Amino acid sequence: RKAIEIKPDYAMAHMNLGNILKDFGNLKEAEISYRKALKLKPDYAMAHSNLGTTLRELGKLQDAELFTRKAIEIKPDYADAYLNLGNILRDIGNLEEAEISLRKAIKIKPDFASAYNNLGAILRELGKQEEAEISYTKAIELKPGFKGALRNRWQLFFELGKFDLALKDSDSSNTKESRSRSLETLYALGNIEEIYKRIEATAELDSKNIDVAAFSSFISENQKKDTAHNFCNNPLSFLYFSNLNYHIKDYHQFIKGIMKELNDVPTIWQPRTTINGFQTPTTLNLFSKSSQYISQLKSIILNEIDSYYSKFKKEACLFIQQWPSNKNVIGWYNILKKQGYQSAHIHPSGWLSGVIYLKVVPPLNNNEGAIEFSLNGVNYFNPNSPELIHQPKVGDIVFFPSSLYHRTIPFSTDTDRIVVAFDLMPN
């Protein structure tokens, strides 16, 4: 900033400031800085590319593609720009072109481990499993211990039923995610004794590991035997239900106000667990907006969080006993279209999660549009595991531990299902 103050037309300083702001997560400010750099230096390939990645994170995929292609036009041997373009094209759903772009990045830069890793992900989505494995393996050879590539190859091996190879990959990365993946793989291998040993050995280290908490709840119920993990052994008993009508007299008008403000919030088509729907980018916290209705909604959520804690405060599990003292809430919103749904997932970075229903769909005697809670995970399942289905009404507020798996039951009505969701973050 001082450099820019001294020399306002210093394009590199504007770009460097954009990089720093992007690293801080201030994406809109980063976008402004990159655009200033480009106004001063229109042929600045790196600024075009970096603006492209920022726009991608903001959910502006068409603009992101445009600026990234401009970077390549200016600098045809720009391997990073081809990598970024491949990622954008993958988000758009253009997998064939994404593959071509990543192969170009590798041709320009043969030791580009990240490009091999991302290429593997695209090949897997294209059903080219053998080529995907080769690409992941190359990434790991170029960058030994490459956690992202090891994670992706683990997923591929797991899907192919190569559980021994999958376990080797998960065990080679000592992270909280990889330790959870190892437990899931051991379950697939039927090694229950080793699962209990490992959970006990890392009970303190993984005490707040949401992935391990979810699996521990599942295996405890499955085996009718508690593990050494004590985050939240029975998360289904920690569900909480309320409604906006307890807070706002004309809550239908209040919901209209929220939805009007949400129209100005960018969304991405089918990110992560969202199928046939839109969701705000993960880099954007809905509650960072100071708009009238969204700010009021945040206040309601904070009051309900206090009520939730009061209801369960006598419980002995770590989930309650180490309740976050800072009410740091991160929010997003989701629009599902006809045949849309959220696939089963948990919120690994959260503590308490919640959803507020702004628009619902008719159940049609088949629980359509309902939220289903279960101990079953993506990679582990037992037909006898308990589950609970809640058919929401407009204004419903539902809270649950972030370690509890949940999904949306698809719906056939040609209408939108709109919710605001949030995570109360750990300290």
Side-chain angles (χ1 to χ4, degrees):
R1 289 191 189 279
K2 186 65 178 176
I4 291 166
E5 182 186 321
I6 295 165
K7 191 177 179 183
D9 61 348
Y10 193 0
M12 185 181 287
H14 283 287
M15 194 198 69
N16 289 343
L17 177 59
N19 293 343
I20 293 163
L21 290 166
K22 185 173 180 292
D23 287 345
F24 275 130
N26 298 336
L27 298 179
K28 289 186 177 180
E29 287 187 61
E31 178 187 352
I32 292 167
S33 284
Y34 290 136
R35 288 187 184 277
K36 284 180 180 175
L38 289 171
K39 190 174 182 180
L40 293 165
K41 190 179 177 183
D43 63 345
Y44 203 163
M46 190 177 290
H48 278 286
S49 182
N50 291 0
L51 176 56
T53 60
T54 303
L55 291 169
R56 177 194 174 216
E57 291 185 40
L58 283 167
K60 302 175 182 179
L61 295 179
Q62 289 183 326
D63 287 343
E65 181 183 355
L66 185 71
F67 279 99
T68 309
R69 287 191 185 278
K70 186 65 178 177
I72 291 167
E73 180 187 321
I74 295 165
K75 190 179 178 184
D77 63 345
Y78 196 173
D80 281 31
Y82 278 109
L83 171 72
N84 295 338
L85 179 60
N87 295 337
I88 294 163
L89 291 168
R90 182 188 178 195
D91 289 346
I92 292 170
N94 194 342
L95 297 179
E96 288 80 7
E97 273 198 68
E99 178 186 351
I100 291 168
S101 187
L102 284 160
R103 290 194 185 279
K104 284 181 179 176
I106 290 166
K107 188 175 181 180
I108 294 165
K109 189 177 176 183
D111 62 346
F112 204 168
S114 294
Y116 276 107
N117 180 37
N118 291 13
L119 175 61
I122 289 163
L123 291 168
R124 174 176 159 263
E125 288 183 42
L126 286 168
K128 302 176 182 179
Q129 281 88 353
E130 288 184 14
E131 290 182 60
E133 182 183 339
I134 291 167
S135 197
Y136 290 142
T137 301
K138 184 66 176 177
I140 296 161
E141 287 173 0
L142 290 167
K143 187 180 176 182
F146 189 171
K147 289 182 172 59
L150 285 164
R151 179 191 64 238
N152 288 340
R153 194 172 66 174
W154 169 85
Q155 183 69 52
L156 179 66
F157 284 149
F158 194 98
E159 290 171 356
L160 293 173
K162 299 178 179 180
F163 300 123
D164 288 321
L165 291 173
L167 186 60
K168 285 181 181 178
D169 275 353
S170 55
D171 279 350
S172 65
S173 299
N174 188 23
T175 66
K176 65 177 186 177
E177 292 85 5
S178 67
R179 291 192 294 275
S180 172
R181 291 194 294 270
S182 290
L183 294 174
E184 294 172 11
T185 312
L186 286 165
Y187 181 73
L189 288 165
N191 196 338
I192 305 301
E193 185 179 349
E194 179 65 14
I195 287 170
Y196 275 83
K197 284 181 180 177
R198 290 197 183 198
I199 291 175
E200 184 174 4
T202 63
E204 186 174 347
L205 177 64
D206 284 324
S207 63
K208 300 177 184 179
N209 186 331
I210 299 299
D211 288 298
V212 172
F215 181 81
S216 294
S217 299
F218 167 81
I219 201 70
S220 295
E221 169 63 28
N222 183 262
Q223 298 294 310
K224 307 301 180 188
K225 175 186 173 184
D226 286 343
T227 70
H229 202 274
N230 186 36
F231 179 78
C232 185
N233 287 335
N234 188 14
L236 283 166
S237 66
F238 286 85
L239 289 168
Y240 173 95
F241 303 94
S242 185
N243 194 284
L244 289 174
N245 62 15
Y246 301 144
H247 301 268
I248 305 286
K249 187 174 182 180
D250 189 356
Y251 72 102
H252 287 288
Q253 192 61 39
F254 175 66
I255 288 171
K256 285 182 182 177
I258 294 172
M259 291 204 287
K260 187 177 180 181
E261 291 179 352
L262 291 176
N263 287 334
D264 298 326
V265 179
T267 56
I268 296 175
W269 177 251
Q270 295 195 144
R272 300 180 301 165
T273 59
T274 303
I275 309 300
N276 216 40
F278 296 91
Q279 188 166 303
T280 41
T282 55
T283 51
L284 191 154
N285 180 8
L286 188 64
F287 297 128
S288 63
K289 291 176 69 67
S290 57
S291 51
Q292 177 188 348
Y293 292 101
I294 290 174
S295 295
Q296 193 174 352
L297 181 64
K298 181 182 177 181
S299 296
I300 290 170
I301 289 170
L302 294 178
N303 286 333
E304 289 283 8
I305 287 173
D306 289 340
S307 298
Y308 182 95
Y309 177 71
S310 295
K311 179 178 180 179
F312 295 107
K313 64 183 179 181
K314 293 182 180 179
E315 299 291 335
C317 60
L318 186 147
F319 170 61
I320 297 299
Q321 294 306 310
Q322 295 194 23
W323 191 254
S325 55
N326 302 319
K327 286 196 283 188
N328 177 23
V329 175
I330 291 176
W332 61 94
Y333 90 103
N334 175 272
I335 305 172
L336 293 179
K337 300 288 185 180
K338 182 180 179 181
Q339 300 300 337
Y341 62 94
Q342 288 277 349
S343 59
H345 64 286
I346 56 174
H347 298 183
S349 61
W351 193 271
L352 173 75
S353 298
V355 59
I356 298 95
Y357 292 86
L358 306 181
K359 189 175 181 182
V360 299
V361 298
L364 300 180
N365 298 317
N366 202 25
N367 288 321
E368 291 194 7
I371 185 169
E372 179 186 274
F373 298 97
S374 173
L375 300 184
N376 291 323
V378 175
N379 296 313
Y380 46 92
F381 177 84
N382 186 305
N384 297 318
S385 287
E387 61 182 36
L388 185 145
I389 294 174
H390 174 71
Q391 188 65 58
K393 299 180 179 64
V394 172
D396 269 3
I397 301 169
V398 184
F399 288 2
F400 49 93
S402 295
S403 61
L404 180 59
Y405 268 94
H406 53 287
R407 73 178 185 103
T408 310
I409 296 174
F411 56 92
S412 57
T413 308
D414 191 11
T415 185
D416 292 348
R417 177 186 181 275
I418 304 174
V419 304
V420 167
F422 82 91
D423 281 339
L424 171 65
M425 306 302 287
N427 286 342

